[in-house]
Amino acid sequence: MEHVPPPAKELARLDRELAELDARRAQLLTRRAWLLAALRPPAPTAAPGWNPPAWGVPAAGRPGTPAQPWGYVPPKRASAPRSAQNVLLTLGGLLLTVAAVAFTLVSWGSMGIGGRSAVLAAVTVGALAAPAVLLRRGLTATAEALAALALVLTLLDAYAVHAVAVPDTDGLGFTAVAAAVLAALWTAYGLALGKLHLPLPAAVVLAQWPLLFGAWAAGAPALVVGWALLATAVLDGAIALWGKGTGARVTACVGGSVMAFSALMVGLTLSVTASGPLGALAPGALLLTAAAAALAGAWRAPRGFARAGGVVAGLATVAAVGGVPAAAVPENWGVLAYLAAGLALTAVVRTRLPRNAAIGVLVASAAVVAGALAGALPGFTAVLLGPVTLLSDVWAGSPGGFRSALDPTLPWTGLAAAPVVLAVSAGLLGAAYGWWPSLARIAAPLIAREEPGSGGGPAEAPGAGTPEAGGAVAPGASGAPHGTGAPWYAGGRAGTPWYAGGASAARRRPSGAALRGAAGAGAAVLGWGALLLAGAVLDVPYAVAVAGETVLVAGLLALAVRGAGSGREGSAAVPVTALVAALAGALSAGLLSLASEGASYAVFGALAALFAGAAVRAGAGVPRAVFAVAATVGCTVLTGFAGRSLGLAPHEAAPLMLLVPALTVLFGARLRRNPAALPVELTGALGALVAVALAVPDAPFLALVLALCGVLAAGAAVRPERRPVAAYLAAALFVLATWVRLAASGVSFPEAYTLPVTVPALVAGFLRRRKDPEASSWTAYGPGLAATLLPSLAVAWTDPDWQRPLLLGVSALVITLLGARYRLQALLLLGGAVLALDGLHELAPYVVQVAGALPRWLPPALAGLLLLVVGATYEQRLRDARRLKDALGRMR
């Protein structure tokens, strides 16, 4: 047998072994720290407290890390932070600047010409020379502060020269010359002292003003001012591309943007306000020069700036080229000239312009087209939604023309060119949708074009020719992604472009199918809008307008039904867009037809037939359900029109409105589990709800409508898939119809009618519970109890006597106790709710009397105290609520 030592001896032995392990670990860590210190390269300079050999001595109780040896304490900084130094230098330079300004403005007049010259020369030369000395000593921040002071002094020198030497000189002209001289001085100074960051940006800022102030001083016209601004912007662009220093280039970029924008605004204003084509030529030349300068800068600029330059060049070209013919046509038709110029920009895809710049030009073209379309938006909106005003006066009589049913305040004469703009845009998008492969081949050189300085395209990269290396894969080759060689812009199904491998590149670019679908959808919407707006601009007769809108809806429905089966890539967006446009057009045509009784029947009948036919021809899924729902809505509106034509009051027409819900129940039974069945039945239920709302003012008709709705719900409950909802709904509707009928008949004792129903219902529920103990108490006893308790409660609230509330309260108390005793949820909740409401009715007068006698401040105080108590015991109340919920959930 193995000897087992006593626990005390075993514990002592374990302690000795652990101590030996700790000692060995300390030795190994010390050796490791020494080896790290030996392998570390020596520091270039020694600093106070720098003692590498001391690294090998571990500090007691301080663990070491691999990155920082054991016991190493980093030396403390002996100098102040650079931020504090910058603050001190900034304050010092600011104080010197303030002193110089005060001296020039206040003490200048008390000195003679010699003293003035000596002081200016000495201070300025000293301020300019001091940074050079400071830079040699390594005091860069101090040199920057003195350079800033020198900049202010040179500005003050210029002011002093003008005030003393040439006081009669024009201020703008002298400022232009002084700005040019100072810009040259500070450029030379910044190039000489290359370590300073301030002089070159200051020179760029000063270079913004010579040409502009010179043009103003000479009294030049606005066109010359625009040329001055453009020349300054070109200079800024050159500095931004080839200038020295980030600060100077950023400053030049900002200044060039401001000056270029100002020049473009001057040219655009002069072009738009020109009196004729000849007057628009000179501003056009300015705009074309600006476009050429923007393209020249975009040729060498980075990607973002290149695209921005392309956008500016495109917009400037459109303003220049379109401004000349726009000045020769009436004002309302000038938009067509700009639209034509914007569309002509798409020819950039066949030029040698870099890809990013060409993309910017195409964005400018799209912006011009979008702006032209935005001008037609008010008229299109008025045509689409203007007939809403007819809802206030239905069947008042047919108006004379289309515009009479729309917004009369809209300037229709100013929208004469809007239909043409929409039609041209629709035609071009339709052509693009139909000829997409040809357009893709035309645009292929632009897509595959390399940028200057890119270092070669994908085909020149190492491993080119394989998808894994991101190289080019020839169309149709076996390496094409997803088994096809079709590029994305040709509308193929390839997920990765053939010219640039990798999934990230494919995610950054929209697929050709999506672009083609967007073109087709845009063509459908714009063509529809062009025809609608043309009718309003021409003010066609009312009958023609109504018939035309209905025909357009038919065309859109045909496109929605057949578009999905065209087989073209990207065609999925076309039927969806056509469906949305058809629904909007149907709404507009229906509203427009409300002016005339005959037009209303004709339009809604035609719409119902069109949507029903589309539902039959469409494939299964969401479109068929949408078509069927729209047809159901049209039929429901027609039944409402029939009641109005028969001269029936709203409540009298309510039973007639139930004709369509009855047909939807039969239709649902015919379709069974077809996806369109449920939406159609729900739409019919909404029609029944409208019928109930119409019958509310007359209680007998309301009872009749409720009973008919119950019959329809019972008919739907025959089907197993509708039974769980329709059965309960039918029972509730029948009970509600009974109550309404009793109330309408002036019955003061509803129990005489409800108890004969309640007793058999409770017996039937009891027998079902005996047969199926798991059956819910709501199913067994809920309808029978509600049939008597709820009508009695409603009558008790208006009964001035005490007998009925007493009997109702006793009955509710017994039902509540039975529910608690036998754990029946329906009895407990129904009896408790009725008992609480009955008791509230009896105590209400006394509560009101007591509340009137209390001080006004007491109820808010009690409410606040209650909130505090509830808040303090919130967790406990929450647990109580959960326990109550669980207890109710366990009941049947």
Side-chain angles (χ1 to χ4, degrees):
M1 294 179 63
E2 183 179 357
H3 174 68
V4 178
K9 291 183 178 182
E10 186 178 3
L11 179 60
R13 187 180 67 182
L14 292 177
D15 289 338
R16 286 194 302 272
E17 291 177 358
L18 289 174
E20 292 173 359
L21 289 175
D22 289 339
R24 181 59 179 166
R25 182 176 184 275
Q27 292 175 2
L28 294 176
L29 288 176
T30 302
R31 182 63 179 173
R32 180 180 181 277
W34 184 87
L35 292 174
L36 286 174
L39 293 175
R40 190 183 304 275
T45 58
W50 186 268
N51 190 13
W55 292 357
V57 182
R62 185 179 300 171
T65 61
Q68 184 167 297
W70 206 11
Y72 168 70
V73 179
K76 297 181 179 180
R77 288 186 177 183
S79 59
R82 182 169 295 274
S83 58
Q85 179 188 12
N86 291 336
V87 171
L88 294 176
L89 291 174
T90 302
L91 291 176
L94 182 61
L95 291 176
L96 288 176
T97 303
V98 172
V101 173
F103 169 77
T104 303
L105 297 179
V106 178
S107 302
W108 184 258
S110 61
M111 300 178 64
I113 187 63
R116 298 173 184 176
S117 302
V119 170
L120 279 174
V123 175
T124 305
V125 171
L128 289 173
V133 178
L134 294 173
L135 287 176
R136 285 196 296 269
R137 295 180 178 271
L139 302 176
T140 306
T142 308
E144 290 283 0
L146 288 180
L149 175 63
L151 173 62
V152 177
L153 287 175
T154 54
L155 296 177
L156 294 176
D157 289 340
Y159 166 75
V161 169
H162 179 265
V164 176
V166 285
D168 298 331
T169 306
D170 178 60
L172 286 175
F174 182 83
T175 303
V177 175
V181 173
L182 290 176
L185 170 65
W186 280 98
T187 300
Y189 188 75
L191 294 176
L193 301 179
K195 293 184 178 180
L196 293 179
H197 300 289
L198 180 63
L200 290 179
V204 173
V205 173
L206 290 170
Q208 308 301 309
W209 311 114
L211 293 178
L212 179 60
F213 286 167
W216 280 352
L223 184 63
V224 177
V225 174
W227 282 106
L229 291 169
L230 181 58
T232 306
V234 171
L235 176 61
D236 289 330
I239 297 173
L241 290 175
W242 298 291
K244 180 181 179 181
T246 304
R249 298 175 71 176
V250 171
T251 306
C253 185
V254 175
S257 300
V258 175
M259 292 297 174
F261 178 77
S262 302
L264 290 174
M265 288 298 101
V266 171
L268 180 61
T269 303
L270 294 177
S271 176
V272 171
T273 58
S275 58
L278 295 179
L281 289 176
L286 173 63
L287 293 170
L288 285 177
T289 306
L295 284 182
W299 200 280
R300 298 182 59 87
R303 179 172 127 177
F305 290 96
R307 293 188 178 183
V311 172
V312 172
L315 294 177
T317 303
V318 170
V321 176
V324 176
V329 298
E331 180 180 359
N332 300 329
W333 293 90
V335 64
L336 296 178
Y338 293 107
L339 178 62
L343 294 173
L345 291 179
T346 55
V348 75
V349 298
R350 303 301 295 175
T351 64
R352 299 294 300 171
L353 199 65
R355 185 165 64 90
N356 285 321
I359 290 175
V361 175
L362 293 178
V363 170
S365 174
V368 171
V369 175
L373 295 177
L377 186 60
F380 177 67
T381 305
V383 173
L384 199 61
L385 302 178
V388 174
T389 56
L390 298 175
L391 287 173
S392 59
D393 198 4
V394 178
W395 295 355
S398 301
F402 193 6
R403 295 183 195 171
S404 302
L406 305 176
D407 186 5
T409 62
L410 198 66
W412 292 104
T413 56
L415 296 172
V420 181
V421 172
L422 294 176
V424 170
S425 303
L428 292 174
L429 288 177
Y433 177 74
W435 301 333
W436 186 262
S438 301
L439 293 178
R441 286 193 295 271
I442 294 173
L446 171 64
I447 298 173
R449 192 175 303 162
E450 302 170 12
E451 290 301 307
S454 62
E460 300 174 4
T466 62
E468 293 78 10
V473 180
S478 60
H482 299 285
T484 79
W488 67 273
Y489 54 79
R493 299 182 184 274
T496 307
W498 62 270
Y499 56 84
S504 60
R507 286 194 298 268
R508 287 194 299 267
R509 298 183 179 92
S511 67
L515 293 176
R516 185 178 191 179
V525 173
L526 294 179
W528 169 54
L531 293 175
L532 282 181
L533 196 53
V537 170
L538 297 175
D539 197 17
V540 298
Y542 173 76
V544 176
V546 172
E549 288 205 26
T550 308
V551 171
L552 287 177
V553 172
L556 290 171
L557 286 176
L559 183 61
V561 172
R562 299 177 182 177
S566 63
R568 294 177 176 177
E569 292 292 339
S571 60
V574 177
V576 174
T577 306
L579 173 58
V580 175
L583 294 174
L587 177 62
S588 178
L591 293 174
L592 185 64
S593 68
L594 295 179
S596 170
E597 182 178 1
S600 298
Y601 279 106
V603 169
F604 278 95
L607 292 177
L610 288 172
F611 279 104
V616 173
R617 295 293 302 274
V622 175
R624 170 173 287 181
V626 174
F627 294 143
V629 166
T632 305
V633 171
C635 294
T636 304
V637 175
L638 284 175
T639 57
F641 288 161
R644 184 182 178 90
S645 298
L646 294 174
L648 301 177
H651 64 274
E652 295 174 340
L656 186 62
M657 294 284 292
L658 295 177
L659 178 61
V660 173
L663 293 176
T664 59
V665 172
L666 297 176
F667 185 73
R670 178 73 175 84
L671 293 179
R672 306 295 293 178
R673 297 186 180 275
N674 190 290
L678 181 59
V680 169
E681 290 182 78
L682 292 177
T683 306
L686 291 178
L689 189 61
V690 172
V692 171
L694 292 175
V696 166
D698 190 274
F701 270 93
L702 178 59
L704 174 61
V705 171
L706 290 173
L708 293 176
C709 292
V711 171
L712 296 179
V718 174
R719 298 157 52 195
E721 67 273 12
R722 299 287 184 262
R723 188 171 300 153
V725 176
Y728 289 106
L729 181 60
L733 288 171
F734 283 134
V735 172
L736 187 58
T738 303
W739 294 345
V740 172
R741 181 68 258 184
L742 293 176
S745 301
V747 175
S748 58
F749 293 96
E751 294 81 5
Y753 300 91
T754 58
L755 281 175
V757 176
T758 296
V759 173
L762 292 178
V763 172
F766 177 76
L767 295 176
R768 179 176 180 180
R769 288 274 299 173
R770 288 188 61 182
K771 183 178 180 181
D772 182 14
E774 297 299 322
S776 172
S777 62
W778 289 100
T779 305
Y781 304 119
L785 291 175
T788 295
L789 289 179
L790 298 182
S792 299
L793 179 64
V795 177
W797 268 75
T798 59
D799 192 349
D801 297 328
W802 58 271
Q803 293 87 354
R804 184 190 302 277
L806 177 60
L807 293 175
L808 179 62
V810 171
S811 302
L813 177 60
V814 172
I815 293 172
T816 305
L817 294 176
L818 289 175
R821 171 65 180 82
Y822 294 102
R823 306 181 62 80
L824 298 176
Q825 191 180 95
L827 276 67
L828 179 64
L829 295 183
L830 272 176
V834 172
L835 181 61
L837 293 174
D838 187 62
L840 179 62
H841 170 263
E842 295 302 309
L843 294 177
Y846 304 102
V847 173
V848 172
Q849 184 178 0
V850 172
L854 291 177
R856 292 181 179 271
W857 57 267
L858 189 57
L862 293 176
L865 182 61
L866 177 63
L867 291 177
L868 288 177
V869 172
V870 173
T873 59
Y874 176 75
E875 295 296 334
Q876 181 62 36
R877 301 287 79 78
L878 198 59
R879 287 192 293 269
D880 294 342
R882 289 197 185 100
R883 284 197 293 269
L884 177 61
K885 177 185 176 183
D886 295 339
L888 289 175
R890 288 191 295 268
M891 293 183 177
R892 298 302 301 170

